Amino acid sequence: EPFDRIILALPAYASDRVLGHENEPATEMITNLHLWLDQPICFGAPFIGGIGTMGEWFFDVSAQMNSAKMRVDNPLQHICVVISADSDRLPEAELLQQLCHEIEQICGRVVKPVHHRLVREKRATVLVRPHTQQQQLPTWLIDASERPAPGELPATIEMAVRRGEIAAKQCKSM
């Protein structure tokens, strides 16, 4: 089926590959450490931001999922700690120890997970860089990939939605 417009809504490195660009955008890894606790802790909010900590965001996934109803089936509390641009790349055991210590500082009690899972996406955060001159794209091709410029936030859902809205408006105006 023929199309009048194509929107590239891919990670920047994938868009660059499709477009034949030779230079991949600079990226950093995002790290998520998921912890399951059999002794509940309280952050006082479903998620908090860390200041001066390695963990940048601390999510009480159980509270967000309203799992008070589910506690009979799953008595473990699920916590997720996120490091958005993880350039330290600590080994798993060291990272687990550091982030548990930070949670202890936040909630005021010892944290000993009964299970944990580390998830690292190596190219998740496209770094903020001045835009270089890109090749002129055909009018029917709209690049909505993430390429944050100075003053923009990288790797946020809000910026992804904004890029999608801009691309949709471009499609409608053509």
Side-chain angles (χ1 to χ4, degrees):
E1 182 175 331
F3 297 93
D4 295 330
R5 312 272 185 286
I6 295 176
I7 297 175
L8 283 176
L10 300 168
Y13 66 88
S15 288
D16 286 351
R17 195 173 318 133
V18 167
L19 295 172
H21 297 165
E22 293 185 19
N23 296 329
E24 280 196 18
T27 60
E28 281 288 350
M29 176 171 61
I30 189 169
T31 296
N32 293 287
L33 181 65
H34 295 267
L35 308 167
W36 285 269
L37 312 173
D38 61 358
Q39 298 295 314
I41 61 168
C42 182
F43 286 148
F47 72 93
I48 60 171
I51 297 174
T53 54
M54 178 176 283
E56 295 168 331
W57 297 102
F58 298 81
F59 295 90
D60 183 342
V61 178
S62 295
Q64 291 176 348
M65 302 301 286
N66 194 16
S67 60
K69 296 180 257 179
M70 302 183 322
R71 288 206 74 77
V72 173
D73 296 336
N74 183 6
L76 301 178
Q77 181 181 17
H78 181 186
I79 302 293
C80 178
V81 183
V82 178
I83 305 170
S84 295
D86 185 2
S87 56
D88 292 332
R89 303 171 190 257
L90 291 179
E92 186 170 338
E94 194 175 331
L95 182 66
L96 176 63
Q97 181 180 9
Q98 174 64 32
L99 296 179
C100 283
H101 174 72
E102 291 177 3
I103 292 170
E104 290 170 3
Q105 297 300 306
I106 293 166
C107 69
R109 45 185 309 251
V110 174
V111 173
K112 295 199 182 289
V114 295
H115 178 67
H116 76 277
R117 182 164 187 204
L118 179 65
V119 179
R120 288 179 158 155
E121 174 54 47
K122 293 179 180 162
R123 298 186 285 188
T125 303
V126 177
L127 300 181
V128 176
R129 298 288 188 258
H131 288 290
T132 57
Q133 186 67 15
Q134 296 287 336
Q135 71 189 46
Q136 187 67 29
L137 298 177
T139 56
W140 51 266
L141 183 60
I142 299 167
D143 186 2
S145 59
E146 180 183 11
R147 297 176 196 285
E152 295 178 342
L153 296 173
T156 64
I157 194 67
E158 296 83 2
M159 289 303 292
V161 169
R162 198 171 296 157
R163 285 192 310 275
E165 288 174 341
I166 291 168
K169 286 177 184 173
Q170 283 178 314
C171 276
K172 286 177 69 174
S173 68
M174 295 178 145

